Amino acid sequence: MTANYAIETYDLKRIYKIRGPKRKDDPAERVALGGVSLQVARGGLFGLLGPNGAGKTTLIKILSTLLLPSSGRALVDGLDVTKDVTEIRRRISMVSGGETSGFGLLTVEENLWMFARFYGLENADAKRRIDEMLEVVGIADRRRTKIADLSTGLRQKMNFIRGFISDPDIIFLDEPTLGLDVTAARDVREFVKRWLRQNPDRTILLTTHYMAEADELCDRLAIIDSGKLLVEDTPAGLKKRVQDEAMFVLKVAPLGKPVEGDRIEDVPGVQRLAVTDHDAHVELTMALTGEDALPGVLAHLSRRGAGLVSLEKREPTLEDVFIQLVGRRLTEAAGVEA
Amino acid sequence: MAMMSRIFASPAVRRSPALRSLLSGLWLGWQIETNWANPIVFITYFIARPVASLTILVVMYSVIAQDILGTPFFAYVYLGGALYLLAGQIVVGVSWVVIEDREHYRVAKQIYTAPVNSYAYLLGRGIARFAVSVLSVSITIPLGVLVFRLPVTWSAIDFPLLIVSTLLGLIAMAALGVIIGSYTYQITRQAFSVGDTLNGVFYLLTGAVFPIELLPEVLRPLGYLLPSTYWLELARRALIPQPVAFQAISSLNTETLLAILAGMAVVFAVLSVVVFIWSMRLAKERGVLDVETNY
Ligand SMILES: Nc1ncnc2c1ncn2[C@@H]1O[C@H](COP(=O)(O)OP(=O)(O)O)[C@@H](O)[C@H]1O
Ligand SMILES: [Mg+2]
């Protein structure tokens, strides 16, 4: 059976019951997904970008048959996640980042072998794929090492390739680079890109809260926040939405005191503003209607006694898209009152 | 390892998820339980501990009754204590596997998204625990013969009875293990204490070291519901053909006991499948299949 889409959801909802709320007036339920409808075409990498708690993992768990939806429908490869569990599991795999788990007393090779058996792979196939993947991510020399003796980074790499040895049609990667150092994270991204180039008919659904990662990897992506999908487009298409604005990053030290009734947001031409407090300076990221709005901003800053450290115009990023949609930054950073 | 590879490579195994999962569970369980890289752990758990608890038992009974060594009642107690280890390993062992996978190895996500027949996989892990305990019993029983004048003689052992009753018992007890394991999926906190508690309770209820007839009347029916009760009695009869002074369920002859155990094997097996499927669904509904509590 060939479905049109790799993944489809229709008004998918998931509500968690909170067991034993700590206080009387704590809510007894939490809405993790508040009606998500999504179609992911076959082939390529689809990204879900959203902050912590947005519902990304919940969606992945439902699609990978670990969790039942509260209502709505979800299809993977045209199969219903509530009914065709075994058939779906044959075609998918799931890797979640930060996952350093495993049967500690098995070696890397034994562990991968066991999963190859779970999928009923032929010995020759399994051996070839395990060899190849170990080589690609650079842990071939550790194949006889017990998992318990691996560093967490290497354990995460091993778990990552476990997701690929069964040669699945659809792979769910839940924040695959979470907690990895810069080099390892790059290795993982390179691996993903290479694998998709070699297997263009396969689909990867990847979640991340790193916008640069989403920008680099995704063919299409959806932004999710508080259990709702906000937009879905190509990274370029999303950025185009904010391109008619001028993005400026101003570093000031100090920011100075706002004068009553005279806030930066009220300066003519300021569309949006995000404020991040760094140790030595405050960073103002603002979207202006155009460059001609800049003098007004600078005049405001000097009125409140702010010292300008640097000023930079930059290309719009997915972060700007997120700020436009949600009204706050994607990555958590201390916000201060402006 | 080489032999395992050949078994897994056979088309019959590759094509059947249940067989693959059972054998993977067995293989993995054996690796975990024997952990030969650390013989100290193995010796402590499977030899030193049972020997110690049996010795305590022997000493306690010797204080109460003089000249007890070598008597049929002593045999009853010693064999019950030694064999119960096997029953406990499988009845409570499956629960342990559920908790271990989820909380200790934290592989629930990996296993329950793979095309694994989880019932068969758990069964395999449980049977591996049982198999390892056979090693332990094959040390504690000869030790009883040598040191405590346990009246077991090789030539008098009724092997057909021992094998048939152990197979039936294994099916019934493993199925009961899966039922308890199914319950374990649902509890997220304090899950670790469940196994130990049940192990202790069953030890008292099943007539391992004193006849069930000595239990308060209200508790006796619980003992009669446990397959280990019948298996222990049958295994004792197979090992010591001469009648034992206080027989639990002593009025029943061997054929009746076998029939009861066979019936239990069927009933528990069917029940375990139903309960397991229901429990998996409930766990997915509640979102606890892969839950990791910080213990
Ligand atoms: N097992 C659970 N019980 C209760 N609430 C949960 C559970 N899992 C997740 N949540 C809540 O659901 C929301 C979405 O969580 P999650 O899907 O993990 O988001 P993300 O992966 O995007 O960070 C969060 O508010 C989170 O606290
Ligand atoms: Mg998450």
Side-chain angles (χ1 to χ4, degrees):
Chain A
M1 166 160 134
T2 46
N4 292 325
Y5 294 106
I7 296 159
E8 298 159 82
T9 72
Y10 300 98
D11 198 23
L12 195 66
K13 292 200 174 99
R14 172 68 207 197
I15 297 164
Y16 288 107
K17 295 224 166 22
I18 309 291
R19 274 174 291 280
K22 291 205 177 63
R23 269 172 277 118
K24 268 258 163 59
D25 46 348
D26 279 354
E29 293 185 339
R30 178 162 296 137
V31 180
L33 292 177
V36 168
S37 298
L38 176 72
Q39 280 88 42
V40 176
R42 209 171 280 285
L45 194 144
F46 189 97
L48 268 180
L49 178 67
N52 277 330
K56 304 183 296 293
T57 299
T58 302
L59 181 56
I60 293 257
K61 280 191 188 176
I62 292 175
L63 295 172
S64 59
T65 75
L66 279 175
L67 185 69
L68 287 177
S70 304
S71 68
R73 250 157 68 83
L75 307 179
V76 172
D77 216 7
L79 301 161
D80 191 316
V81 295
T82 61
K83 298 192 195 100
D84 312 311
V85 177
T86 319
E87 197 44 53
I88 290 176
R89 287 181 184 177
R90 257 195 267 279
R91 306 176 186 196
I92 64 161
S93 76
M94 198 263 255
V95 176
S96 57
E99 201 174 336
T100 57
S101 48
F103 295 104
L105 40 80
L106 298 186
T107 64
V108 168
E109 200 173 40
E110 284 172 337
N111 187 54
L112 294 174
W113 260 113
M114 190 177 72
F115 278 93
R117 284 175 200 152
F118 281 165
Y119 288 86
L121 294 193
E122 270 189 73
N123 276 356
D125 277 350
K127 189 178 173 335
R128 185 174 46 76
R129 277 197 213 126
I130 291 171
D131 286 349
E132 191 183 302
M133 306 251 166
L134 287 172
E135 204 64 58
V136 172
V137 296
I139 55 172
D141 56 328
R142 310 305 293 274
R143 62 191 313 149
R144 299 265 150 75
T145 308
K146 283 198 186 342
I147 295 171
D149 299 333
L150 288 180
S151 69
T152 52
L154 291 185
R155 243 185 267 181
Q156 210 171 323
K157 273 192 178 173
M158 181 203 66
N159 265 325
F160 180 76
I161 56 175
R162 173 191 52 77
F164 291 82
I165 46 171
S166 61
D167 199 19
D169 294 327
I170 300 168
I171 303 191
F172 300 100
L173 300 176
D174 192 12
E175 313 224 22
T177 58
L178 191 75
L180 287 179
D181 63 41
V182 179
T183 340
R186 201 188 50 217
D187 288 350
V188 161
R189 286 197 296 271
E190 290 305 320
F191 181 92
V192 167
K193 283 195 272 188
R194 205 184 108 141
W195 189 79
L196 276 176
R197 262 200 315 276
Q198 291 168 349
N199 305 277
D201 55 332
R202 307 303 162 80
T203 312
I204 296 182
L205 178 69
L206 172 140
T207 78
T208 181
H209 67 271
Y210 304 123
M211 52 156 188
E213 185 166 282
D215 205 356
E216 178 185 343
L217 292 177
C218 302
D219 299 308
R220 289 184 75 79
L221 78 105
I223 292 183
I224 182 171
D225 185 50
S226 304
K228 293 266 185 202
L229 283 195
L230 303 177
V231 272
E232 193 230 297
D233 204 340
T234 59
L238 286 172
K239 282 184 282 188
K240 229 187 209 131
R241 294 169 189 228
V242 289
Q243 209 131 47
D244 50 349
E245 301 172 331
M247 298 300 308
F248 286 93
V249 181
L250 286 77
K251 290 181 184 161
V252 290
L255 177 58
K257 284 255 166 338
V259 183
E260 193 60 37
D262 183 15
R263 301 182 310 143
I264 303 181
E265 289 97 317
D266 301 333
V267 174
V270 175
Q271 300 278 79
R272 284 183 317 282
L273 171 72
V275 184
T276 323
D277 203 357
H278 296 280
D279 282 344
H281 64 270
V282 176
E283 193 176 281
L284 307 171
T285 307
M286 52 182 85
L288 306 180
T289 45
E291 271 174 47
D292 49 359
L294 198 55
V297 172
L298 297 174
H300 164 93
L301 289 175
S302 85
R303 274 201 299 284
R304 64 192 283 169
L308 187 63
V309 178
S310 70
L311 186 155
E312 186 195 340
K313 182 170 195 284
R314 65 161 173 75
E315 290 303 304
T317 64
L318 290 176
E319 176 101 47
D320 302 322
V321 179
F322 188 83
I323 294 171
Q324 185 183 45
L325 288 165
V326 183
R328 57 187 159 78
R329 296 186 69 115
L330 174 60
T331 44
E332 306 98 314
V336 290
E337 205 196 328
Chain B
M1 188 76 186
M3 196 185 77
M4 276 316 263
S5 285
R6 214 162 317 137
I7 295 175
F8 277 107
S10 76
V13 173
R14 279 207 308 116
R15 251 177 255 125
S16 157
L19 264 180
R20 260 162 28 207
S21 307
L22 181 80
L23 290 171
S24 298
L26 263 174
W27 174 81
L28 179 63
W30 185 258
Q31 301 296 316
I32 292 176
E33 303 307 332
T34 54
N35 195 7
W36 299 112
N38 193 348
I40 301 290
V41 174
F42 177 78
I43 291 170
T44 313
Y45 270 84
F46 288 99
I47 300 174
R49 213 169 59 160
V51 167
S53 62
L54 282 170
T55 310
I56 292 170
L57 210 59
V58 171
V59 170
M60 272 180 3
Y61 275 102
S62 312
V63 170
I64 300 166
Q66 258 110 48
D67 289 330
I68 190 167
L69 294 190
T71 66
F73 180 67
F74 171 73
Y76 175 96
V77 171
Y78 191 94
L79 287 176
L83 292 170
Y84 182 77
L85 184 82
L86 284 166
Q89 278 297 321
I90 190 133
V91 171
V92 181
V94 177
S95 268
W96 268 107
V97 172
V98 170
I99 299 166
E100 255 175 21
D101 277 6
R102 200 166 59 179
E103 306 258 5
H104 181 64
Y105 301 117
R106 290 178 285 122
V107 291
K109 271 196 196 73
Q110 306 175 4
I111 288 177
Y112 300 113
T113 56
V116 173
N117 179 326
S118 20
Y119 182 100
Y121 164 79
L122 284 182
L123 212 59
R125 292 279 300 271
I127 293 172
R129 293 180 74 108
F130 183 90
V132 174
S133 308
V134 170
L135 289 179
S136 162
V137 173
S138 65
I139 290 170
T140 48
I141 291 182
L143 187 86
V145 174
L146 290 175
V147 181
F148 302 121
R149 305 202 326 259
L150 183 66
V152 173
T153 41
W154 183 260
S155 56
I157 296 175
D158 184 347
F159 280 104
L161 178 61
L162 187 63
I163 289 165
V164 170
S165 64
T166 300
L167 277 178
L168 289 175
L170 183 61
I171 295 171
M173 293 187 290
L176 179 59
V178 172
I179 293 172
I180 297 168
S182 302
Y183 169 68
T184 318
Y185 276 111
Q186 309 302 331
I187 40 174
T188 48
R189 274 164 264 233
Q190 290 98 35
F192 275 91
S193 57
V194 170
D196 280 338
T197 311
L198 283 181
N199 203 21
V201 171
F202 289 167
Y203 184 64
L204 295 178
L205 290 178
T206 200
V209 290
F210 59 81
I212 258 185
E213 283 79 358
L214 294 184
L215 283 173
E217 206 154 337
V218 283
L219 292 179
R220 268 179 237 165
L222 293 176
Y224 292 132
L225 281 176
L226 293 172
S228 49
T229 302
Y230 305 91
W231 173 65
L232 284 175
E233 180 60 22
L234 284 163
R236 277 189 288 239
R237 288 188 192 183
L239 289 169
I240 326 174
Q242 69 267 40
V244 172
F246 299 94
Q247 275 185 355
I249 37 184
S250 50
S251 53
L252 302 175
N253 64 26
T254 301
E255 288 70 26
T256 313
L257 287 175
L258 273 174
I260 294 174
L261 193 56
M264 281 189 144
V266 173
V267 171
F268 276 101
V270 172
L271 200 63
S272 71
V273 173
V274 175
V275 170
F276 185 77
I277 291 172
W278 171 76
S279 172
M280 282 302 243
R281 191 165 178 94
L282 187 64
K284 283 170 64 175
E285 210 171 286
R286 300 175 64 223
V288 295
L289 194 55
D290 64 324
V291 81
E292 289 164 12
T293 50
N294 300 308
Y295 57 93

